[in-house]
Amino acid sequence: MSEYLNGAAFLDGKRDKGQRRAAAFKRDERMEAIAELCDSRPEVFETLGTSIRMSLGYYENDKKIAAEHGRDVTKGAN
């Protein structure tokens, strides 16, 4: 079913999911701190709950998409 919905075109054209995700991205200092923890102290990061680590993955993916669409994702830009 989703293959049909993903291929559907709307009256004003096909939707760009990446553009919508880029427009919705908001920098989150808490997620930035967790990402820094992942890099600096991986043994502590591994003790965090699964939902926090998954949330970080979604956040980093949205941040990457926002940067690819020309958004400034650096500190203080949002």
Side-chain angles (χ1 to χ4, degrees):
M1 176 89 175
S2 65
E3 64 190 56
Y4 299 113
L5 294 175
N6 287 337
F10 295 88
L11 293 176
D12 58 348
K14 192 168 181 165
R15 300 290 187 223
D16 183 0
K17 290 181 188 178
Q19 184 65 39
R20 288 194 326 237
R21 288 175 72 182
F25 176 78
K26 289 187 173 64
R27 185 175 172 88
D28 186 344
E29 293 304 322
R30 295 172 296 176
M31 286 293 161
E32 294 293 331
I34 293 170
E36 179 64 31
L37 183 66
C38 177
D39 295 335
S40 64
R41 301 198 47 209
E43 69 281 354
V44 175
F45 177 76
E46 289 298 320
T47 64
L48 297 177
T50 304
S51 60
I52 293 173
R53 291 183 291 171
M54 286 177 59
S55 295
L56 178 62
Y58 285 118
Y59 174 79
E60 288 182 331
N61 192 32
D62 287 347
K63 183 177 178 180
K64 182 182 97 178
I65 290 171
E68 288 172 354
H69 280 84
R71 294 272 315 267
D72 185 5
V73 294
T74 60
K75 184 175 183 177
N78 295 327

